[in-house]
Amino acid sequence: MMLLLAAASVVAFVLLLYMVSPLISPKPLALPGAHVVVTGGSSGIGKCVAIECYKQGAFITLIARNEDKLLQTKKEIEKYSVNDKQVVLCISVDVSKDYGNVENVLKQAQEKLGPVDMLVNCAGTSVTGKFEDLEMNTFERLMAVNYLGSVYPTRAVIATMKERRMGRIVFVSSQAGQLGLFGYTAYSPTKFALRGLAEALQMEVKPYNIYVTVAYPPDTDTPGFAEESKTKPLETKLISETSSVCQADQVARVIVKDAIQGNFNSSIGSDGYMLALLTSGMSPVTSITEGLQQVVGMGIFRIIGLFYLGSFDSIVRRCMIEREKHPSTTDKTE
């Protein structure tokens, strides 16, 4: 009897999704001629996202703090032009400090290249360390850069997108924004915050044909990742080694594809797929297939996830026991 009820529930869910699918399946965004703004665009994932969009015919506004890096990146991107009309505009500004300044520079960008069709919030930074070892200003700085650094540019373009009844907003979170891990007590909350912002914002702007994407990249081979690795606690390093490091261009291709399609979640690799299903909760779906995968796969992946968590806890306990045996031993990240 219980099995029949469960089967009936699944069938009813499929029918419901079929009925509402026209309401949840967005029309893909055409990138040729579109104006794409990328924050944190001078290196790493941001630079690769800009290159990927430029390859597809978009006009690009790059935003970052370091003007020299921006100009160097501009030259790299321009090598991938598909027509002589494309433009790469560079703006040097800190997107996490002064909203008025961010609003002004984005207004200037829109005056030069037209309304923003897609905003990709890639600006971010990471600091690892045990909770009690981190300076209090680290928590404040990471929240400013990783969270407010996405809020400010988004706020600056959202009104125009609503007027035009079209647009894409991308928030680049992290797998550490789906799962809190040892050493990321300052970083993870800022990436979790982006998910909350994205879910609430998506509900507000969906009637205006604006779609929000949250990307959850794994460890990615970028200058920021290399810098972070220098100070990782041993536990964090050992946990990170349980999964492979992705290339920035691979991550960028997935993010751009998902943003164009209007997918709410963007994940990379098998671990990313599992985490996306496990943490789907009340997040929006953009296809019948996605909804069914979440319903069917969540229980199975929860079992697998418990094994991962057990492995991580084991790593932390072993490191703690080793330190207690050898109190003079300091953390080694080599």
Side-chain angles (χ1 to χ4, degrees), residues 88-118:
V88 179
L89 177 65
C90 294
I91 299 176
S92 176
V93 67
D94 187 336
V95 293
S96 68
K97 285 191 174 180
D98 183 344
Y99 171 68
N101 198 20
V102 174
E103 185 181 35
N104 287 335
V105 297
L106 278 169
K107 183 178 179 181
Q108 294 170 17
Q110 292 185 91
E111 289 173 351
K112 292 179 180 179
L113 300 184
V116 175
D117 296 290
M118 183 161 78

Side-chain angles (χ1 to χ4, degrees), residues 167-205:
R168 296 287 191 273
I169 301 289
V170 181
F171 297 109
V172 178
S173 180
S174 164
Q175 286 187 354
Q178 297 170 296
L179 169 66
L181 295 172
F182 190 106
Y184 285 120
T185 52
Y187 178 70
S188 279
T190 67
K191 293 300 187 176
F192 269 85
L194 289 176
R195 157 109 179 231
L197 169 63
E199 289 191 359
L201 182 62
Q202 179 63 99
M203 192 174 290
E204 287 189 20
V205 301

Side-chain angles (χ1 to χ4, degrees), residues 273-322:
Y273 176 76
M274 180 183 73
L275 280 171
L277 260 65
L278 276 174
T279 60
S280 56
M282 290 290 289
S283 64
V285 294
T286 46
S287 71
I288 294 175
T289 302
E290 183 185 9
L292 283 174
Q293 287 174 345
Q294 291 170 359
V295 171
V296 175
M298 191 176 290
I300 298 171
F301 283 126
R302 177 57 176 168
I303 296 173
I304 299 173
L306 290 174
F307 281 100
Y308 272 93
L309 289 172
S311 173
F312 298 159
D313 286 342
S314 178
I315 288 171
V316 173
R317 282 196 299 270
R318 289 201 308 269
C319 290
M320 183 189 70
I321 292 170
E322 188 65 24

Side-chain angles (χ1 to χ4, degrees), residues 2 5 9 19 34 50-51 68 91 94 97 111 123 137 141 157 171 207 228 232-233 250 253 275 313 323-325 331:
M2 293 300 294
L5 286 174
S9 297
M19 291 172 61
I51 289 174
D68 292 336
I91 299 176
D94 187 336
K97 285 191 174 180
E111 289 173 351
N137 62 7
R141 179 166 63 88
V157 303
F171 297 109
E228 171 196 316
K232 273 184 178 177
Q250 172 194 2
R253 283 194 296 271
L275 280 171
D313 286 342
R323 287 194 184 88
E324 289 177 345
K325 287 182 179 178
D331 285 345

Side-chain angles (χ1 to χ4, degrees), residues 37-94:
V37 174
V38 184
T39 71
S42 63
S43 65
I45 294 174
K47 180 173 79 171
C48 290
V49 165
I51 289 174
E52 183 64 24
C53 292
Y54 201 67
K55 284 180 178 179
Q56 297 188 40
F59 289 67
I60 305 295
T61 294
L62 288 178
I63 298 179
R65 291 176 299 175
N66 190 308
E67 189 171 359
D68 292 336
K69 285 185 179 180
L70 277 171
L71 295 175
Q72 182 180 346
T73 301
K74 172 184 167 73
K75 293 178 181 178
E76 290 183 47
I77 294 174
E78 288 175 336
K79 296 176 184 177
Y80 297 95
S81 64
V82 296
N83 62 67
D84 56 6
K85 295 181 180 180
Q86 283 180 277
V87 175
V88 179
L89 177 65
C90 294
I91 299 176
S92 176
V93 67
D94 187 336

